[in-house]
């Protein structure tokens, strides 16, 4: 059995919370937009790349 942590919220809130919680320091981050025409495709590319490089993904919301 592995301990689990449930993180709720929007995609932006969850990504930022995970980055802060699981990465105490990082020299590189991957930043992707939340709402764009190809956001889903970017997330599919970004996830394995970030895992391989052991870097956090930051999702930004530019709709303000």
């Amino acid at each position: 059995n592995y301990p689990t942590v449930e993180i709720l919220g929007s995609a932006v809130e969850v990504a930022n919370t995970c980055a802060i919680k699981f990465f105490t320091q990082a020299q590189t981050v991957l930043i992707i937009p939340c709402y764009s025409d190809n956001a889903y495709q970017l997330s599919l590319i970004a996830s394995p790349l970030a895992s391989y490089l052991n870097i956090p993904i930051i999702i930004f919301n530019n709709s303000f």
Side-chain angles (χ1 to χ4, degrees), residues 26-54:
Q27 293 183 4
T28 305
V29 298
L30 203 75
I31 302 172
I32 60 173
C34 182
Y35 302 108
S36 70
D37 294 338
N38 58 355
Y40 181 72
Q41 291 85 1
L42 287 174
S43 66
L44 291 178
I45 294 168
S47 298
L49 179 61
S51 176
Y52 176 75
L53 296 174
N54 195 28

Side-chain angles (χ1 to χ4, degrees), residues 3-63:
T4 59
V5 176
E6 187 174 8
I7 301 172
L8 302 174
S10 68
V12 175
E13 294 169 340
V14 170
N16 293 341
T17 301
C18 288
I20 292 167
K21 185 172 184 75
F22 299 112
F23 291 90
T24 56
Q25 60 180 338
Q27 293 183 4
T28 305
V29 298
L30 203 75
I31 302 172
I32 60 173
C34 182
Y35 302 108
S36 70
D37 294 338
N38 58 355
Y40 181 72
Q41 291 85 1
L42 287 174
S43 66
L44 291 178
I45 294 168
S47 298
L49 179 61
S51 176
Y52 176 75
L53 296 174
N54 195 28
I55 59 175
I57 299 174
I58 302 295
I59 302 174
F60 73 92
N61 181 358
N62 198 17
S63 65

